[in-house]
Amino acid sequence: MLWDEDGRRYIDMMGAYSAVSHGHCHPRLVSVLQQQAAKLAVVSRAFYTQPLGRFAQLACHLTGMERALPMNTGAEAVETALKLARKWAYTVKGVKSERARIIACQGNFHGRTIAIVGMSTVPQYRDAFGPYPPGTDIVPFGDAKALEEAITPDTAAFLVEPIQGEGGIIIPPPGALAECRRLCDRHKVLMICDEVQSGLGRAGAMLASEHEGIRPDIVTLGKALGGGLLPVSLVLAKAEVMDVFKPGDHGSTYGGNPLAAAVGHEALTVLVEEGLVQRAAELGPWLMEHLGTIPSPAIKEIRGRGLFIGVEFHPEIVSATAVCQALAERGILTKDTHRNTIRFSPPLVISHALLNEAVDALEQSLKALCG
Ligand SMILES: Cc1ncc(COP(=O)(O)O)c(C=O)c1O
């Protein structure tokens, strides 16, 4: 929950764009942050530190990956994954110098850096920020046939969010990502799953790609990895992929610092020990079911997995922005996203009672706005 300056209470159904999965200021995370900050916060990444070793090991163990490379923000993790894929293409796949291409999806959101907004299909995110690095192709999300047509011998990687978050909480058609995985294998293309938002239990599994039965070659994590306290991100990969990076190829002054690593390790530990992945898996369908009982013609579709849920409205009846404002007046905080959709991505520690309040508030808001 959050309180404003007048002491009014709000339920945070937004979770800071899924960064606050553990709840605000989780005492175990705050305690580890304080203890580590008092001991050692930042050293050169050239030096081994115990917190980083422990963190990388646990992250690999929980995600089934073999190598972990720490960064800070989600966008940096994705940029790192792209660099990795390009170097792999040149040194392993045999793509000719400067020709490697990356395939991304329509409606993607991978962050705000130049290379990444160059891949965006949202005019506001990309217009006025060019020119962009070349070497990107775009295919419709969840369309394996389009992916196959776009793959060329120069394709290094296919970059995809297993669930598009900022794009409007879009779930791919059943089996589509598994088919994309098969195509990547067949054409020797790396599959990069950007799980910065969908990972770490948000979608009711440690990685949302588990729902699709796939194992990516590279995974990016961020947001909740910092426990809602500080930016911590990771690029995880199979050994044969990550090992193309040699010392000095890549770096980050703060990436993997002992403070971030200690908090990241505790964030993963709390996720496991408090059963938060399972909690999202149970609460998500419960919330979807209750949202589904709201008798409003304004609702076009409710979709989601775990506690990563979008409610889309008919634009001719109501705008998602107006619904968010009406919800805020009733003590529920969230934010609209693309496709006239509001998202519910609350902390995974949320109770049934608070979720119920959110459902009631949505029903009242829609009544007030649409009659
Ligand atoms: C899927 C995905 N990737 C990357 C990012 C970028 O993360 P950051 O804002 O930490 O750079 C986001 C942020 O919303 C995201 O949803």
Side-chain angles (χ1 to χ4, degrees), residues 17 72-76 78 109-112 116 161 163 165-166 194-198 220 222-223 231:
Y17 299 92
N72 309 282
T73 62
E76 281 178 297
V78 175
F109 188 86
H110 299 292
R112 301 285 194 164
I116 289 174
E161 296 156 85
I163 297 172
E166 301 307 304
D194 180 357
E195 299 248 14
V196 165
Q197 185 152 196
S198 60
T220 53
K223 292 192 189 266

mmCIF file with all atom_site columns, all heavy atoms in Angstrom, residues 17 72-76 78 109-112 116 161 163 165-166 194-198 220 222-223 231, ligand 1:
data_model
loop_
_atom_site.group_PDB
_atom_site.id
_atom_site.type_symbol
_atom_site.label_atom_id
_atom_site.label_alt_id
_atom_site.label_comp_id
_atom_site.label_asym_id
_atom_site.label_entity_id
_atom_site.label_seq_id
_atom_site.pdbx_PDB_ins_code
_atom_site.Cartn_x
_atom_site.Cartn_y
_atom_site.Cartn_z
_atom_site.occupancy
_atom_site.B_iso_or_equiv
_atom_site.pdbx_formal_charge
_atom_site.auth_seq_id
_atom_site.auth_comp_id
_atom_site.auth_asym_id
_atom_site.auth_atom_id
_atom_site.pdbx_PDB_model_num
ATOM   1   N N   . TYR A 1 17  ? 5.647  -0.827  -12.288 1.00 0.00 ? 17  TYR A N   1
ATOM   2   C CA  . TYR A 1 17  ? 5.911  -1.539  -13.564 1.00 0.00 ? 17  TYR A CA  1
ATOM   3   C C   . TYR A 1 17  ? 6.513  -2.927  -13.290 1.00 0.00 ? 17  TYR A C   1
ATOM   4   O O   . TYR A 1 17  ? 7.471  -3.329  -13.945 1.00 0.00 ? 17  TYR A O   1
ATOM   5   C CB  . TYR A 1 17  ? 6.845  -0.739  -14.468 1.00 0.00 ? 17  TYR A CB  1
ATOM   6   C CG  . TYR A 1 17  ? 6.323  0.603   -14.883 1.00 0.00 ? 17  TYR A CG  1
ATOM   7   C CD1 . TYR A 1 17  ? 6.619  1.742   -14.140 1.00 0.00 ? 17  TYR A CD1 1
ATOM   8   C CD2 . TYR A 1 17  ? 5.527  0.738   -16.016 1.00 0.00 ? 17  TYR A CD2 1
ATOM   9   C CE1 . TYR A 1 17  ? 6.129  2.985   -14.518 1.00 0.00 ? 17  TYR A CE1 1
ATOM   10  C CE2 . TYR A 1 17  ? 5.044  1.978   -16.401 1.00 0.00 ? 17  TYR A CE2 1
ATOM   11  C CZ  . TYR A 1 17  ? 5.347  3.094   -15.652 1.00 0.00 ? 17  TYR A CZ  1
ATOM   12  O OH  . TYR A 1 17  ? 4.866  4.318   -16.018 1.00 0.00 ? 17  TYR A OH  1
ATOM   13  N N   . ASN A 1 72  ? 22.582 -3.282  -14.714 1.00 0.00 ? 72  ASN A N   1
ATOM   14  C CA  . ASN A 1 72  ? 21.806 -2.482  -13.754 1.00 0.00 ? 72  ASN A CA  1
ATOM   15  C C   . ASN A 1 72  ? 20.335 -2.390  -14.165 1.00 0.00 ? 72  ASN A C   1
ATOM   16  O O   . ASN A 1 72  ? 19.473 -2.917  -13.498 1.00 0.00 ? 72  ASN A O   1
ATOM   17  C CB  . ASN A 1 72  ? 22.421 -1.088  -13.627 1.00 0.00 ? 72  ASN A CB  1
ATOM   18  C CG  . ASN A 1 72  ? 23.915 -1.171  -13.356 1.00 0.00 ? 72  ASN A CG  1
ATOM   19  O OD1 . ASN A 1 72  ? 24.332 -1.442  -12.236 1.00 0.00 ? 72  ASN A OD1 1
ATOM   20  N ND2 . ASN A 1 72  ? 24.727 -0.978  -14.383 1.00 0.00 ? 72  ASN A ND2 1
ATOM   21  N N   . THR A 1 73  ? 20.080 -1.752  -15.291 1.00 0.00 ? 73  THR A N   1
ATOM   22  C CA  . THR A 1 73  ? 18.688 -1.599  -15.721 1.00 0.00 ? 73  THR A CA  1
ATOM   23  C C   . THR A 1 73  ? 18.304 -2.701  -16.710 1.00 0.00 ? 73  THR A C   1
ATOM   24  O O   . THR A 1 73  ? 19.172 -3.401  -17.263 1.00 0.00 ? 73  THR A O   1
ATOM   25  C CB  . THR A 1 73  ? 18.496 -0.247  -16.425 1.00 0.00 ? 73  THR A CB  1
ATOM   26  O OG1 . THR A 1 73  ? 19.331 -0.240  -17.597 1.00 0.00 ? 73  THR A OG1 1
ATOM   27  C CG2 . THR A 1 73  ? 18.860 0.897   -15.523 1.00 0.00 ? 73  THR A CG2 1
ATOM   28  N N   . GLY A 1 74  ? 17.002 -2.788  -16.942 1.00 0.00 ? 74  GLY A N   1
ATOM   29  C CA  . GLY A 1 74  ? 16.507 -3.756  -17.912 1.00 0.00 ? 74  GLY A CA  1
ATOM   30  C C   . GLY A 1 74  ? 17.022 -3.460  -19.314 1.00 0.00 ? 74  GLY A C   1
ATOM   31  O O   . GLY A 1 74  ? 17.428 -4.362  -20.052 1.00 0.00 ? 74  GLY A O   1
ATOM   32  N N   . ALA A 1 75  ? 17.009 -2.178  -19.681 1.00 0.00 ? 75  ALA A N   1
ATOM   33  C CA  . ALA A 1 75  ? 17.463 -1.804  -21.027 1.00 0.00 ? 75  ALA A CA  1
ATOM   34  C C   . ALA A 1 75  ? 18.921 -2.206  -21.235 1.00 0.00 ? 75  ALA A C   1
ATOM   35  O O   . ALA A 1 75  ? 19.294 -2.711  -22.300 1.00 0.00 ? 75  ALA A O   1
ATOM   36  C CB  . ALA A 1 75  ? 17.293 -0.300  -21.232 1.00 0.00 ? 75  ALA A CB  1
ATOM   37  N N   . GLU A 1 76  ? 19.740 -2.025  -20.214 1.00 0.00 ? 76  GLU A N   1
ATOM   38  C CA  . GLU A 1 76  ? 21.150 -2.424  -20.338 1.00 0.00 ? 76  GLU A CA  1
ATOM   39  C C   . GLU A 1 76  ? 21.275 -3.933  -20.519 1.00 0.00 ? 76  GLU A C   1
ATOM   40  O O   . GLU A 1 76  ? 22.161 -4.403  -21.248 1.00 0.00 ? 76  GLU A O   1
ATOM   41  C CB  . GLU A 1 76  ? 21.910 -2.051  -19.073 1.00 0.00 ? 76  GLU A CB  1
ATOM   42  C CG  . GLU A 1 76  ? 22.314 -0.620  -18.951 1.00 0.00 ? 76  GLU A CG  1
ATOM   43  C CD  . GLU A 1 76  ? 23.000 -0.415  -17.615 1.00 0.00 ? 76  GLU A CD  1
ATOM   44  O OE1 . GLU A 1 76  ? 22.333 -0.603  -16.577 1.00 0.00 ? 76  GLU A OE1 1
ATOM   45  O OE2 . GLU A 1 76  ? 24.184 -0.096  -17.607 1.00 0.00 ? 76  GLU A OE2 1
ATOM   46  N N   . VAL A 1 78  ? 19.135 -5.864  -21.982 1.00 0.00 ? 78  VAL A N   1
ATOM   47  C CA  . VAL A 1 78  ? 18.743 -6.182  -23.361 1.00 0.00 ? 78  VAL A CA  1
ATOM   48  C C   . VAL A 1 78  ? 19.857 -5.766  -24.331 1.00 0.00 ? 78  VAL A C   1
ATOM   49  O O   . VAL A 1 78  ? 20.228 -6.522  -25.233 1.00 0.00 ? 78  VAL A O   1
ATOM   50  C CB  . VAL A 1 78  ? 17.399 -5.512  -23.728 1.00 0.00 ? 78  VAL A CB  1
ATOM   51  C CG1 . VAL A 1 78  ? 17.058 -5.745  -25.192 1.00 0.00 ? 78  VAL A CG1 1
ATOM   52  C CG2 . VAL A 1 78  ? 16.273 -6.040  -22.841 1.00 0.00 ? 78  VAL A CG2 1
ATOM   53  N N   . PHE A 1 109 ? 8.410  -3.857  -26.199 1.00 0.00 ? 109 PHE A N   1
ATOM   54  C CA  . PHE A 1 109 ? 9.008  -2.838  -25.330 1.00 0.00 ? 109 PHE A CA  1
ATOM   55  C C   . PHE A 1 109 ? 10.202 -3.470  -24.634 1.00 0.00 ? 109 PHE A C   1
ATOM   56  O O   . PHE A 1 109 ? 10.064 -4.397  -23.851 1.00 0.00 ? 109 PHE A O   1
ATOM   57  C CB  . PHE A 1 109 ? 8.027  -2.294  -24.289 1.00 0.00 ? 109 PHE A CB  1
ATOM   58  C CG  . PHE A 1 109 ? 8.629  -1.120  -23.553 1.00 0.00 ? 109 PHE A CG  1
ATOM   59  C CD1 . PHE A 1 109 ? 8.539  0.166   -24.062 1.00 0.00 ? 109 PHE A CD1 1
ATOM   60  C CD2 . PHE A 1 109 ? 9.343  -1.310  -22.376 1.00 0.00 ? 109 PHE A CD2 1
ATOM   61  C CE1 . PHE A 1 109 ? 9.136  1.241   -23.415 1.00 0.00 ? 109 PHE A CE1 1
ATOM   62  C CE2 . PHE A 1 109 ? 9.937  -0.239  -21.714 1.00 0.00 ? 109 PHE A CE2 1
ATOM   63  C CZ  . PHE A 1 109 ? 9.834  1.040   -22.240 1.00 0.00 ? 109 PHE A CZ  1
ATOM   64  N N   . HIS A 1 110 ? 11.399 -2.926  -24.937 1.00 0.00 ? 110 HIS A N   1
ATOM   65  C CA  . HIS A 1 110 ? 12.610 -3.471  -24.328 1.00 0.00 ? 110 HIS A CA  1
ATOM   66  C C   . HIS A 1 110 ? 13.416 -2.398  -23.605 1.00 0.00 ? 110 HIS A C   1
ATOM   67  O O   . HIS A 1 110 ? 14.539 -2.658  -23.196 1.00 0.00 ? 110 HIS A O   1
ATOM   68  C CB  . HIS A 1 110 ? 13.485 -4.141  -25.395 1.00 0.00 ? 110 HIS A CB  1
ATOM   69  C CG  . HIS A 1 110 ? 12.809 -5.285  -26.097 1.00 0.00 ? 110 HIS A CG  1
ATOM   70  N ND1 . HIS A 1 110 ? 12.510 -6.475  -25.458 1.00 0.00 ? 110 HIS A ND1 1
ATOM   71  C CD2 . HIS A 1 110 ? 12.351 -5.431  -27.372 1.00 0.00 ? 110 HIS A CD2 1
ATOM   72  C CE1 . HIS A 1 110 ? 11.914 -7.302  -26.322 1.00 0.00 ? 110 HIS A CE1 1
ATOM   73  N NE2 . HIS A 1 110 ? 11.797 -6.691  -27.481 1.00 0.00 ? 110 HIS A NE2 1
ATOM   74  N N   . GLY A 1 111 ? 12.863 -1.190  -23.500 1.00 0.00 ? 111 GLY A N   1
ATOM   75  C CA  . GLY A 1 111 ? 13.585 -0.134  -22.809 1.00 0.00 ? 111 GLY A CA  1
ATOM   76  C C   . GLY A 1 111 ? 13.701 1.111   -23.663 1.00 0.00 ? 111 GLY A C   1
ATOM   77  O O   . GLY A 1 111 ? 13.014 1.236   -24.688 1.00 0.00 ? 111 GLY A O   1
ATOM   78  N N   . ARG A 1 112 ? 14.595 2.007   -23.265 1.00 0.00 ? 112 ARG A N   1
ATOM   79  C CA  . ARG A 1 112 ? 14.598 3.349   -23.856 1.00 0.00 ? 112 ARG A CA  1
ATOM   80  C C   . ARG A 1 112 ? 15.938 3.769   -24.445 1.00 0.00 ? 112 ARG A C   1
ATOM   81  O O   . ARG A 1 112 ? 16.147 4.950   -24.686 1.00 0.00 ? 112 ARG A O   1
ATOM   82  C CB  . ARG A 1 112 ? 14.216 4.357   -22.774 1.00 0.00 ? 112 ARG A CB  1
ATOM   83  C CG  . ARG A 1 112 ? 12.848 4.112   -22.141 1.00 0.00 ? 112 ARG A CG  1
ATOM   84  C CD  . ARG A 1 112 ? 11.740 4.523   -23.051 1.00 0.00 ? 112 ARG A CD  1
ATOM   85  N NE  . ARG A 1 112 ? 10.479 4.597   -22.324 1.00 0.00 ? 112 ARG A NE  1
ATOM   86  C CZ  . ARG A 1 112 ? 9.406  5.206   -22.781 1.00 0.00 ? 112 ARG A CZ  1
ATOM   87  N NH1 . ARG A 1 112 ? 9.431  5.794   -23.965 1.00 0.00 ? 112 ARG A NH1 1
ATOM   88  N NH2 . ARG A 1 112 ? 8.286  5.221   -22.093 1.00 0.00 ? 112 ARG A NH2 1
ATOM   89  N N   . ILE A 1 116 ? 17.565 0.185   -28.741 1.00 0.00 ? 116 ILE A N   1
ATOM   90  C CA  . ILE A 1 116 ? 16.296 -0.459  -28.401 1.00 0.00 ? 116 ILE A CA  1
ATOM   91  C C   . ILE A 1 116 ? 15.098 0.336   -28.919 1.00 0.00 ? 116 ILE A C   1
ATOM   92  O O   . ILE A 1 116 ? 14.172 -0.247  -29.487 1.00 0.00 ? 116 ILE A O   1
ATOM   93  C CB  . ILE A 1 116 ? 16.230 -0.706  -26.875 1.00 0.00 ? 116 ILE A CB  1
ATOM   94  C CG1 . ILE A 1 116 ? 17.217 -1.822  -26.525 1.00 0.00 ? 116 ILE A CG1 1
ATOM   95  C CG2 . ILE A 1 116 ? 14.835 -1.058  -26.442 1.00 0.00 ? 116 ILE A CG2 1
ATOM   96  C CD1 . ILE A 1 116 ? 17.365 -2.065  -25.054 1.00 0.00 ? 116 ILE A CD1 1
ATOM   97  N N   . GLU A 1 161 ? 9.454  -10.821 -26.003 1.00 0.00 ? 161 GLU A N   1
ATOM   98  C CA  . GLU A 1 161 ? 8.904  -10.893 -24.644 1.00 0.00 ? 161 GLU A CA  1
ATOM   99  C C   . GLU A 1 161 ? 7.906  -12.063 -24.646 1.00 0.00 ? 161 GLU A C   1
ATOM   100 O O   . GLU A 1 161 ? 6.994  -12.064 -25.484 1.00 0.00 ? 161 GLU A O   1
ATOM   101 C CB  . GLU A 1 161 ? 8.127  -9.621  -24.301 1.00 0.00 ? 161 GLU A CB  1
ATOM   102 C CG  . GLU A 1 161 ? 8.923  -8.347  -24.256 1.00 0.00 ? 161 GLU A CG  1
ATOM   103 C CD  . GLU A 1 161 ? 8.013  -7.130  -24.498 1.00 0.00 ? 161 GLU A CD  1
ATOM   104 O OE1 . GLU A 1 161 ? 7.410  -6.636  -23.542 1.00 0.00 ? 161 GLU A OE1 1
ATOM   105 O OE2 . GLU A 1 161 ? 7.917  -6.684  -25.661 1.00 0.00 ? 161 GLU A OE2 1
ATOM   106 N N   . ILE A 1 163 ? 5.489  -12.571 -22.801 1.00 0.00 ? 163 ILE A N   1
ATOM   107 C CA  . ILE A 1 163 ? 4.202  -11.868 -22.724 1.00 0.00 ? 163 ILE A CA  1
ATOM   108 C C   . ILE A 1 163 ? 4.543  -10.400 -22.947 1.00 0.00 ? 163 ILE A C   1
ATOM   109 O O   . ILE A 1 163 ? 5.413  -9.867  -22.251 1.00 0.00 ? 163 ILE A O   1
ATOM   110 C CB  . ILE A 1 163 ? 3.542  -12.037 -21.339 1.00 0.00 ? 163 ILE A CB  1
ATOM   111 C CG1 . ILE A 1 163 ? 3.212  -13.503 -21.070 1.00 0.00 ? 163 ILE A CG1 1
ATOM   112 C CG2 . ILE A 1 163 ? 2.281  -11.165 -21.223 1.00 0.00 ? 163 ILE A CG2 1
ATOM   113 C CD1 . ILE A 1 163 ? 2.733  -13.797 -19.651 1.00 0.00 ? 163 ILE A CD1 1
ATOM   114 N N   . GLY A 1 165 ? 4.327  -6.836  -22.214 1.00 0.00 ? 165 GLY A N   1
ATOM   115 C CA  . GLY A 1 165 ? 3.787  -6.092  -21.075 1.00 0.00 ? 165 GLY A CA  1
ATOM   116 C C   . GLY A 1 165 ? 3.311  -4.714  -21.481 1.00 0.00 ? 165 GLY A C   1
ATOM   117 O O   . GLY A 1 165 ? 2.107  -4.442  -21.543 1.00 0.00 ? 165 GLY A O   1
ATOM   118 N N   . GLU A 1 166 ? 4.266  -3.831  -21.795 1.00 0.00 ? 166 GLU A N   1
ATOM   119 C CA  . GLU A 1 166 ? 3.898  -2.462  -22.139 1.00 0.00 ? 166 GLU A CA  1
ATOM   120 C C   . GLU A 1 166 ? 3.030  -2.435  -23.397 1.00 0.00 ? 166 GLU A C   1
ATOM   121 O O   . GLU A 1 166 ? 2.265  -1.503  -23.618 1.00 0.00 ? 166 GLU A O   1
ATOM   122 C CB  . GLU A 1 166 ? 5.154  -1.603  -22.342 1.00 0.00 ? 166 GLU A CB  1
ATOM   123 C CG  . GLU A 1 166 ? 6.065  -1.528  -21.134 1.00 0.00 ? 166 GLU A CG  1
ATOM   124 C CD  . GLU A 1 166 ? 5.344  -1.110  -19.867 1.00 0.00 ? 166 GLU A CD  1
ATOM   125 O OE1 . GLU A 1 166 ? 4.719  -0.032  -19.863 1.00 0.00 ? 166 GLU A OE1 1
ATOM   126 O OE2 . GLU A 1 166 ? 5.381  -1.879  -18.889 1.00 0.00 ? 166 GLU A OE2 1
ATOM   127 N N   . ASP A 1 194 ? 13.117 -11.729 -23.380 1.00 0.00 ? 194 ASP A N   1
ATOM   128 C CA  . ASP A 1 194 ? 13.207 -10.593 -22.476 1.00 0.00 ? 194 ASP A CA  1
ATOM   129 C C   . ASP A 1 194 ? 12.166 -10.790 -21.381 1.00 0.00 ? 194 ASP A C   1
ATOM   130 O O   . ASP A 1 194 ? 10.977 -10.566 -21.584 1.00 0.00 ? 194 ASP A O   1
ATOM   131 C CB  . ASP A 1 194 ? 12.969 -9.287  -23.246 1.00 0.00 ? 194 ASP A CB  1
ATOM   132 C CG  . ASP A 1 194 ? 13.062 -8.069  -22.330 1.00 0.00 ? 194 ASP A CG  1
ATOM   133 O OD1 . ASP A 1 194 ? 13.253 -8.249  -21.107 1.00 0.00 ? 194 ASP A OD1 1
ATOM   134 O OD2 . ASP A 1 194 ? 12.925 -6.937  -22.835 1.00 0.00 ? 194 ASP A OD2 1
ATOM   135 N N   . GLU A 1 195 ? 12.662 -11.234 -20.219 1.00 0.00 ? 195 GLU A N   1
ATOM   136 C CA  . GLU A 1 195 ? 11.781 -11.515 -19.077 1.00 0.00 ? 195 GLU A CA  1
ATOM   137 C C   . GLU A 1 195 ? 11.951 -10.454 -17.996 1.00 0.00 ? 195 GLU A C   1
ATOM   138 O O   . GLU A 1 195 ? 11.719 -10.722 -16.818 1.00 0.00 ? 195 GLU A O   1
ATOM   139 C CB  . GLU A 1 195 ? 12.077 -12.918 -18.532 1.00 0.00 ? 195 GLU A CB  1
ATOM   140 C CG  . GLU A 1 195 ? 11.843 -14.030 -19.547 1.00 0.00 ? 195 GLU A CG  1
ATOM   141 C CD  . GLU A 1 195 ? 10.660 -14.920 -19.191 1.00 0.00 ? 195 GLU A CD  1
ATOM   142 O OE1 . GLU A 1 195 ? 9.849  -14.542 -18.320 1.00 0.00 ? 195 GLU A OE1 1
ATOM   143 O OE2 . GLU A 1 195 ? 10.560 -16.004 -19.810 1.00 0.00 ? 195 GLU A OE2 1
ATOM   144 N N   . VAL A 1 196 ? 12.387 -9.272  -18.415 1.00 0.00 ? 196 VAL A N   1
ATOM   145 C CA  . VAL A 1 196 ? 12.581 -8.186  -17.447 1.00 0.00 ? 196 VAL A CA  1
ATOM   146 C C   . VAL A 1 196 ? 11.288 -7.924  -16.680 1.00 0.00 ? 196 VAL A C   1
ATOM   147 O O   . VAL A 1 196 ? 11.307 -7.701  -15.470 1.00 0.00 ? 196 VAL A O   1
ATOM   148 C CB  . VAL A 1 196 ? 13.087 -6.913  -18.169 1.00 0.00 ? 196 VAL A CB  1
ATOM   149 C CG1 . VAL A 1 196 ? 12.954 -5.676  -17.290 1.00 0.00 ? 196 VAL A CG1 1
ATOM   150 C CG2 . VAL A 1 196 ? 14.541 -7.095  -18.602 1.00 0.00 ? 196 VAL A CG2 1
ATOM   151 N N   . GLN A 1 197 ? 10.163 -7.992  -17.391 1.00 0.00 ? 197 GLN A N   1
ATOM   152 C CA  . GLN A 1 197 ? 8.887  -7.760  -16.710 1.00 0.00 ? 197 GLN A CA  1
ATOM   153 C C   . GLN A 1 197 ? 8.132  -9.058  -16.417 1.00 0.00 ? 197 GLN A C   1
ATOM   154 O O   . GLN A 1 197 ? 7.546  -9.219  -15.358 1.00 0.00 ? 197 GLN A O   1
ATOM   155 C CB  . GLN A 1 197 ? 7.999  -6.810  -17.527 1.00 0.00 ? 197 GLN A CB  1
ATOM   156 C CG  . GLN A 1 197 ? 6.723  -6.459  -16.811 1.00 0.00 ? 197 GLN A CG  1
ATOM   157 C CD  . GLN A 1 197 ? 6.126  -5.109  -17.164 1.00 0.00 ? 197 GLN A CD  1
ATOM   158 O OE1 . GLN A 1 197 ? 5.277  -4.616  -16.442 1.00 0.00 ? 197 GLN A OE1 1
ATOM   159 N NE2 . GLN A 1 197 ? 6.539  -4.492  -18.234 1.00 0.00 ? 197 GLN A NE2 1
ATOM   160 N N   . SER A 1 198 ? 8.177  -10.001 -17.356 1.00 0.00 ? 198 SER A N   1
ATOM   161 C CA  . SER A 1 198 ? 7.344  -11.207 -17.209 1.00 0.00 ? 198 SER A CA  1
ATOM   162 C C   . SER A 1 198 ? 7.970  -12.257 -16.292 1.00 0.00 ? 198 SER A C   1
ATOM   163 O O   . SER A 1 198 ? 7.292  -13.177 -15.849 1.00 0.00 ? 198 SER A O   1
ATOM   164 C CB  . SER A 1 198 ? 7.104  -11.837 -18.591 1.00 0.00 ? 198 SER A CB  1
ATOM   165 O OG  . SER A 1 198 ? 8.343  -12.190 -19.196 1.00 0.00 ? 198 SER A OG  1
ATOM   166 N N   . THR A 1 220 ? 16.870 -12.187 -20.274 1.00 0.00 ? 220 THR A N   1
ATOM   167 C CA  . THR A 1 220 ? 17.168 -10.965 -19.527 1.00 0.00 ? 220 THR A CA  1
ATOM   168 C C   . THR A 1 220 ? 16.193 -10.833 -18.367 1.00 0.00 ? 220 THR A C   1
ATOM   169 O O   . THR A 1 220 ? 14.999 -11.094 -18.508 1.00 0.00 ? 220 THR A O   1
ATOM   170 C CB  . THR A 1 220 ? 17.057 -9.711  -20.420 1.00 0.00 ? 220 THR A CB  1
ATOM   171 O OG1 . THR A 1 220 ? 15.778 -9.711  -21.062 1.00 0.00 ? 220 THR A OG1 1
ATOM   172 C CG2 . THR A 1 220 ? 18.150 -9.684  -21.461 1.00 0.00 ? 220 THR A CG2 1
ATOM   173 N N   . GLY A 1 222 ? 15.304 -8.225  -14.773 1.00 0.00 ? 222 GLY A N   1
ATOM   174 C CA  . GLY A 1 222 ? 15.558 -6.922  -14.144 1.00 0.00 ? 222 GLY A CA  1
ATOM   175 C C   . GLY A 1 222 ? 14.441 -6.638  -13.165 1.00 0.00 ? 222 GLY A C   1
ATOM   176 O O   . GLY A 1 222 ? 13.944 -7.542  -12.497 1.00 0.00 ? 222 GLY A O   1
ATOM   177 N N   . LYS A 1 223 ? 14.021 -5.414  -13.098 1.00 0.00 ? 223 LYS A N   1
ATOM   178 C CA  . LYS A 1 223 ? 12.886 -4.986  -12.277 1.00 0.00 ? 223 LYS A CA  1
ATOM   179 C C   . LYS A 1 223 ? 12.875 -5.645  -10.884 1.00 0.00 ? 223 LYS A C   1
ATOM   180 O O   . LYS A 1 223 ? 13.596 -5.211  -10.009 1.00 0.00 ? 223 LYS A O   1
ATOM   181 C CB  . LYS A 1 223 ? 11.589 -5.233  -13.030 1.00 0.00 ? 223 LYS A CB  1
ATOM   182 C CG  . LYS A 1 223 ? 11.451 -4.313  -14.256 1.00 0.00 ? 223 LYS A CG  1
ATOM   183 C CD  . LYS A 1 223 ? 10.060 -4.344  -14.821 1.00 0.00 ? 223 LYS A CD  1
ATOM   184 C CE  . LYS A 1 223 ? 9.931  -3.637  -16.142 1.00 0.00 ? 223 LYS A CE  1
ATOM   185 N NZ  . LYS A 1 223 ? 9.513  -2.257  -16.052 1.00 0.00 ? 223 LYS A NZ  1
ATOM   186 N N   . PRO A 1 231 ? 18.316 -0.690  -8.882  1.00 0.00 ? 231 PRO A N   1
ATOM   187 C CA  . PRO A 1 231 ? 18.334 -1.365  -10.189 1.00 0.00 ? 231 PRO A CA  1
ATOM   188 C C   . PRO A 1 231 ? 19.352 -2.509  -10.229 1.00 0.00 ? 231 PRO A C   1
ATOM   189 O O   . PRO A 1 231 ? 20.535 -2.299  -9.959  1.00 0.00 ? 231 PRO A O   1
ATOM   190 C CB  . PRO A 1 231 ? 18.733 -0.257  -11.178 1.00 0.00 ? 231 PRO A CB  1
ATOM   191 C CG  . PRO A 1 231 ? 19.282 0.849   -10.360 1.00 0.00 ? 231 PRO A CG  1
ATOM   192 C CD  . PRO A 1 231 ? 18.866 0.659   -8.935  1.00 0.00 ? 231 PRO A CD  1
HETATM 193 C C1  . LIG B 2 .   ? 10.130 -6.337  -21.177 1.00 0.00 ? 1   LIG B C1  1
HETATM 194 C C2  . LIG B 2 .   ? 10.943 -5.162  -20.739 1.00 0.00 ? 1   LIG B C2  1
HETATM 195 N N1  . LIG B 2 .   ? 12.231 -5.098  -21.070 1.00 0.00 ? 1   LIG B N1  1
HETATM 196 C C3  . LIG B 2 .   ? 13.011 -4.071  -20.693 1.00 0.00 ? 1   LIG B C3  1
HETATM 197 C C4  . LIG B 2 .   ? 12.494 -3.022  -19.951 1.00 0.00 ? 1   LIG B C4  1
HETATM 198 C C5  . LIG B 2 .   ? 13.374 -1.868  -19.578 1.00 0.00 ? 1   LIG B C5  1
HETATM 199 O O1  . LIG B 2 .   ? 13.727 -1.906  -18.232 1.00 0.00 ? 1   LIG B O1  1
HETATM 200 P P1  . LIG B 2 .   ? 14.347 -0.595  -17.542 1.00 0.00 ? 1   LIG B P1  1
HETATM 201 O O2  . LIG B 2 .   ? 13.263 0.409   -17.449 1.00 0.00 ? 1   LIG B O2  1
HETATM 202 O O3  . LIG B 2 .   ? 14.811 -1.102  -16.208 1.00 0.00 ? 1   LIG B O3  1
HETATM 203 O O4  . LIG B 2 .   ? 15.478 -0.163  -18.417 1.00 0.00 ? 1   LIG B O4  1
HETATM 204 C C6  . LIG B 2 .   ? 11.153 -3.049  -19.589 1.00 0.00 ? 1   LIG B C6  1
HETATM 205 C C7  . LIG B 2 .   ? 10.565 -1.933  -18.800 1.00 0.00 ? 1   LIG B C7  1
HETATM 206 O O5  . LIG B 2 .   ? 9.379  -1.761  -18.707 1.00 0.00 ? 1   LIG B O5  1
HETATM 207 C C8  . LIG B 2 .   ? 10.355 -4.143  -19.991 1.00 0.00 ? 1   LIG B C8  1
HETATM 208 O O6  . LIG B 2 .   ? 9.051  -4.200  -19.691 1.00 0.00 ? 1   LIG B O6  1
#
